Amino acid sequence: MDCPDWKTLSFILIFVPVYLQGALSQEARPAWQRKPFFERLRLLEEQFRSLQKVTLTHLHAIASNYNLSYNIDARFRSLALENQAMALVVNQSQTALQGDLGHLKTWMRKTHRRSQKVDSRLLALGAALSERSQQHARERKEQEAQRQALSSLALDMRALQDTLAHLMHVIQSQGARLATLEGWLQVAGPGTTAPALSPTQPEPPSPSSPKLQGAKQTLRTLPEPKDPPQDFAGCLQGTGEHPGPHSQQAWHPERPEEICNVGPVLIFPNASTKNVVFLSPGFLLGLRALSVCSWVRTASGHLGTLLSYATEDNDNKLVLHGRDSLAPGSIHFVIGDPAFRELPLQQLLDGQWHHMCVIWTSILGRYWLHVDRRLVATGSHFREGYEIPPGGSLVLGQEQDSMGGGFDGSEAFVGSMAGLAIWDRVLVPREVSHLATGEEVPPGAILTLANATSVGGFVQRVKCTCLDLCP
C-alpha cells in the first residue's frame, strides 16, 4: 500500500525539474510563443498542489492505518491471552466435571449392586416365606392328623373300657353261679361230690383266683383318657421341642467369671466404618464344612455384623450379618448370597458375655446354632453340596459391599469379641460344651484372633485373664 505513493512522489520530483528546465530554455522565444508555456506551468502547479494534497491525504491515511494495525496487534495479543485463560478455565471445568461424573458412576454402580442385593434378598425372603408357609400348612395337616389319631385312640380306649366292664360283669355273674352251685351241693349232702365239668366247657374262675384278681387289678390301673401331655401338645402346635438324649430342660448359662484363658479381646466401641479387623491369610482352601465360635458381649439394640467374607465375584460368600432394620437380636447367616437363614440371638443383647457357635456342612445342608452350650436352632437343605471358595477377604465387625471395603455404619458391630476361632469341620456337641466352659479348645482351628493382622479405627485389642476382668 506504501509503494505506489512513493513511486508517484519520486516521479513528480524528477518530472518537475525536467519540465522547468525545458521551460527556461524556451524563454528566448517570442512572447506570443511563451504565453502557452506559463499557462501550462500554472496548470502544472495546480496539478502539483492537488497532487500534494492527495499525497498528504494518502500519507495521513497510511499513518492512520499504521496506528490502527498497531492497535489491532495489541488487541489480538490481548484476545490470545484471554483465549488461553478461557481454555485453562474450560480444561479445569472439564476435569472437575469428569471427576464428578466418575464419582456419580461409582455411586450408581454401588447403588445398582445394592439394589441387586436387596432384590435377591427379597426373592430369597419370599422363597423362605413361601417355604415356611408350606411347612406350616404341612404342620397343620400333621396336627390335624394327630388330633384325629388322638380322638380315635380315645374312642378305642373307651371301647376297651366298655369291653373290660362287660367282661367284669360276665366274670362276676359266673362267680355268682359258682357260689350258687356250691350251696346246692352242700344242701344235697355232705358226701355228694360236685359233678365234673364238661371238658369242652372251661371252668369259670373263682372270685379269689389269681387270674381274676389280676384282671381286676389291670382294670383298676388302666388310665383314663386324658389330654395330651404338655410337650406333645407343644409339638403339635409347632412351639415345643423334642428334647434329645443330651439336651437340658432348663438353660443355665455359664457365669463369665468362671471363664478364663480365652486369649485376646477385641472391643468395638462405636458404629464407625473405620472400626474393622482383617484376618489374614483368610481361607486358603475351599470349605465344605465350617464351625465359627466366639464369646460375644453387646448392649446395642441390634447385634451388627460379626463376620464377613467376600470374593471378587460375590461380596457375601459368608456373612454373620445383622443391622438396625432387622428384628432385635436377629442375624442372617449367609452362604453364597442370596441364600441365607435367619438365626435368633435375642439373648445376646443383655450386655453379658455369651458363647455362640454357628456350624454348617454341605452334606444335606445341615446347620446348627449353639448359644451357651444350648442348641437353639437347626435345619437342613441350606446350600447343600456348596463349597465356600478360597482367596477372599475376611473381616470382623463390618459387612463388605466390595472386597475389603464398602462398609455401612448401620451394619457395624458394637461390643466385644473374645476367643473367636474358625474350623473347617463340624464340631460335635461335646467339643462345643468344652469350648463354652473353657475346659478345652478343639484342635484343628484354621483361624483365630491371633491372625488379626490389621486392627483399624477405634478398635481396642486387650488381654484379659478372665472374661469378668475385661473392660
Side-chain angles (χ1 to χ4, degrees), residues 257-272:
E257 56 267 23
E258 299 176 358
I259 306 302
C260 299
N261 301 321
V262 295
V265 178
L266 297 178
I267 301 176
F268 297 79
N270 53 47
S272 171

Side-chain angles (χ1 to χ4, degrees), residues 22 208 244 392:
S208 60

Side-chain angles (χ1 to χ4, degrees), residues 79-98:
L79 288 176
L81 293 176
E82 292 179 358
N83 188 20
Q84 290 178 358
M86 187 175 295
L88 181 60
V89 172
V90 170
N91 291 334
Q92 292 177 352
S93 301
Q94 288 180 351
T95 304
L97 182 60
Q98 288 177 357

Side-chain angles (χ1 to χ4, degrees), residues 45 54 57 76 128 222 241 251 300 308 316 322 330 376 446 462 467:
E45 184 179 1
V54 172
T57 302
F76 271 120
L222 275 175
E241 293 183 357
W251 178 24
S300 176
S308 173
N316 288 327
S330 176
V376 298
I446 59 176
V462 299
L467 288 181

Side-chain angles (χ1 to χ4, degrees), residues 126-140:
L129 289 176
S130 176
E131 182 181 354
R132 186 170 296 180
S133 63
Q134 293 176 0
Q135 183 178 358
H136 286 333
R138 290 193 298 267
E139 289 178 354
R140 284 195 296 270

